């Protein structure tokens, strides 16, 4: 999808204390061999519930954008993990706090795209802004906090260690008279294109042979999804190699489509923000596929914060904005992959 006159005018992010991986290895929580393969330095650890992290990130994005809260007509919230309460709208909680209790003429909803939450929300918001003249601006948030009582962040999946954090962005339409310029802490980024693709035949990788339950929390043990992956491969006909091939195909497809629609190539990109995964997964799933120079990625940043669930791409974008890493004309590609599997890419240009 080629985007016309859509802009990110403000970003925000929240991270916690950075816990050294060496501590988890030393006390037996993380196997030395797994740590060596992933090559992570530390992971972000937060004590606040995920919706409160999203509130802080959303407020930062709104301040940076210079947008008035009443202009926000849509709010999409991405998440991987439990948001604090069952049968409750975390999205509406975030919108209420960020927008000061103001009603929205559109939706405030949570998008369940797992680790692809940031880009799923961004693409859906872009489509709505493009087709709805009554929606001048949207707030996108994504947040996850992985409490050890419910999930083992160190052993959750091969080549991945989960970190806590939140990211946010304000997406607006139009730059003509009456549009709002970004604040001093903001940056205007033109959204050039979005692309997504799904391969639902791989949903069993996170299900394995585990039957669905009729209630949450039926298994008292912390979740380790790599056990389900082993079950999945034991059933056949899938193998780790065949799943990697389909992952590579999905990443290549969405990036190629987004770049084509943006009139760009990989060589035109100043920055590429991939999911924050370990070294082996980064190379096999992203760098080797696209021929990326790791110096033009945020892989080193990701090695310090861990995989932030749904929030990697929004946090990464805010890191580039607030770190002064962007120059006028720089093009950035955001890449998201969520279990299921869904694949997304977006191309932006710094104004």
């Amino acid at each position: 999808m080629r985007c016309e006159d859509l802009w990110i005018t403000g970003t925000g992010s929240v991270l916690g204390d950075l816990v050294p991986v060496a501590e988890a290895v030393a006390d037996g929580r993380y196997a030395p061999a797994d740590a060596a393969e992933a090559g992570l330095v530390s992971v972000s650890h937060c004590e606040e519930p995920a919706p409160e992290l999203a509130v802080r990130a959303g407020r930062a994005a709104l301040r940076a954008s210079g947008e008035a809260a009443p202009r926000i007509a849509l709010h999409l919230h991405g998440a991987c993990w439990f948001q604090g309460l069952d049968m409750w709208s975390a999205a509406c909680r975030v919108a209420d706090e960020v927008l000061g209790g103001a009603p929205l003429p559109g939706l405030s909803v949570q998008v369940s795209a797992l680790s692809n939450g940031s880009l799923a929300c961004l693409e859906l918001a872009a489509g709505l802004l493009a087709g709805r003249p009554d929606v001048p601006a949207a707030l996108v948030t994504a947040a996850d906090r992985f409490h050890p009582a419910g999930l083992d962040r160190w052993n959750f999946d091969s080549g991945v260690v989960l970190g806590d954090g939140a990211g946010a962005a304000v997406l607006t339409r139009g730059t003509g008279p009456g549009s709002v310029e970004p604040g001093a802490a903001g940056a205007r980024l033109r959204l050039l294109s979005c692309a997504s693709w799904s391969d639902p035949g791989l949903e069993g990788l996170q299900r394995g042979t585990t039957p669905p339950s009729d209630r949450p929390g039926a298994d008292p043990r912390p979740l380790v999804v790599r056990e389900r992956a082993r079950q999945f491969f034991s059933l056949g006909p899938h193998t780790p190699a065949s799943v990697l091939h389909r992952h590579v195909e999905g990443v290549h497809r969405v990036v190629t489509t987004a770049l084509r629609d943006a009139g760009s190539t990989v060589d035109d990109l100043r920055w590429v923000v991939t999911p924050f995964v370990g070294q082996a997964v980064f190379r096999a799933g992203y760098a080797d596929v696209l021929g990326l120079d790791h110096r033009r990625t945020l892989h080193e940043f990701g090695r310090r914060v861990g995989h932030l669930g749904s929030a990697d791409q929004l946090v990464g974008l805010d890191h580039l904005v607030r770190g002064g890493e962007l120059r006028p004309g720089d093009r950035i590609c955001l890449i998201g992959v969520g279990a299921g599997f869904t694949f997304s890419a977006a191309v932006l240009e710094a104004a």
Side-chain angles (χ1 to χ4, degrees):
M1 177 179 74
R2 182 174 179 177
C3 301
E4 299 290 345
D5 208 18
L6 296 180
W7 301 80
I8 291 178
T9 55
T11 60
S13 63
V14 175
L15 293 170
D17 296 329
L18 299 183
V19 178
V21 167
E23 289 185 6
V25 173
D27 63 22
R29 286 176 293 165
Y30 193 28
D34 289 343
E37 179 186 29
L40 301 179
V41 177
S42 55
V43 296
S44 173
H45 178 267
C46 297
E47 292 293 341
E48 295 174 81
E52 302 311 309
L53 300 176
V55 167
R56 290 169 56 194
R59 286 172 173 166
L62 202 63
R63 286 194 303 269
S65 73
E67 290 288 350
R71 277 177 51 86
I72 303 295
L74 171 71
H75 170 231
L76 300 179
H77 177 65
C80 271
W81 189 236
F82 184 59
Q83 295 290 289
L85 289 171
D86 293 319
M87 294 294 288
W88 171 70
S89 176
C92 285
R93 163 68 177 180
V94 174
D96 183 55
E97 291 292 318
V98 174
L99 304 178
L104 278 73
L107 291 169
S108 175
V109 293
Q110 183 169 318
V111 175
S112 180
L114 300 173
S115 294
N116 198 16
S118 284
L119 288 190
C121 289
L122 186 63
E123 180 174 334
L124 291 171
L128 280 166
L129 262 69
R132 290 275 303 273
D134 58 322
V135 179
L139 173 67
V140 173
T141 59
D144 277 298
R145 181 212 176 195
F146 301 102
H147 194 282
L151 184 148
D152 184 347
R153 74 169 75 237
W154 301 102
N155 300 291
F156 176 73
D157 202 1
S158 300
V160 175
V161 177
L162 298 172
D164 307 329
V170 174
L171 182 67
T172 68
R173 183 187 59 250
T175 57
S179 66
V180 180
E181 292 295 327
R188 187 176 287 279
L189 300 163
R190 183 180 179 187
L191 180 61
L192 300 176
S193 65
C194 298
S196 289
W197 189 66
S198 296
D199 190 354
L202 294 179
E203 60 80 24
L205 192 63
Q206 283 74 40
R207 176 173 49 85
T209 58
T210 305
S213 174
D214 58 0
R215 62 183 176 86
D219 189 340
R221 300 171 301 168
L223 176 61
V224 178
V225 79
R226 68 198 301 180
E227 295 176 356
R228 298 180 184 176
R230 284 191 283 266
Q231 296 169 357
F232 175 73
F233 291 128
S234 72
L235 297 173
H238 301 284
T239 66
S242 70
V243 169
L244 175 61
H245 175 78
R246 288 167 72 164
H247 177 281
V248 165
E249 180 183 9
V251 169
H252 188 268
R253 180 187 293 263
V254 295
V255 171
T256 299
T257 301
L259 287 173
R260 181 199 65 209
D261 290 348
S264 294
T265 67
V266 170
D267 292 338
D268 296 329
L269 300 173
R270 175 64 185 90
W271 292 102
V272 179
V273 181
T274 68
F276 298 153
V277 293
Q279 291 184 144
V281 177
F282 170 72
R283 288 195 299 267
Y286 304 95
D288 293 350
V289 180
L290 302 171
L292 300 179
D293 179 346
H294 77 277
R295 294 169 297 183
R296 292 192 290 133
T297 74
L298 290 189
H299 178 58
E300 291 302 316
F301 174 70
R303 291 179 64 219
R304 301 197 303 274
V305 302
H307 175 44
L308 305 171
S310 62
D312 284 353
Q313 294 76 20
L314 290 177
V315 171
L317 188 62
D318 186 58
H319 175 74
L320 292 174
V321 169
R322 294 177 186 272
E325 301 288 351
L326 298 177
R327 297 167 296 182
D330 281 352
R331 292 202 168 187
I332 309 105
C333 183
L334 310 178
I335 303 172
V337 178
F341 270 53
T342 67
F343 304 85
S344 295
V347 179
L348 304 98
E349 182 177 76

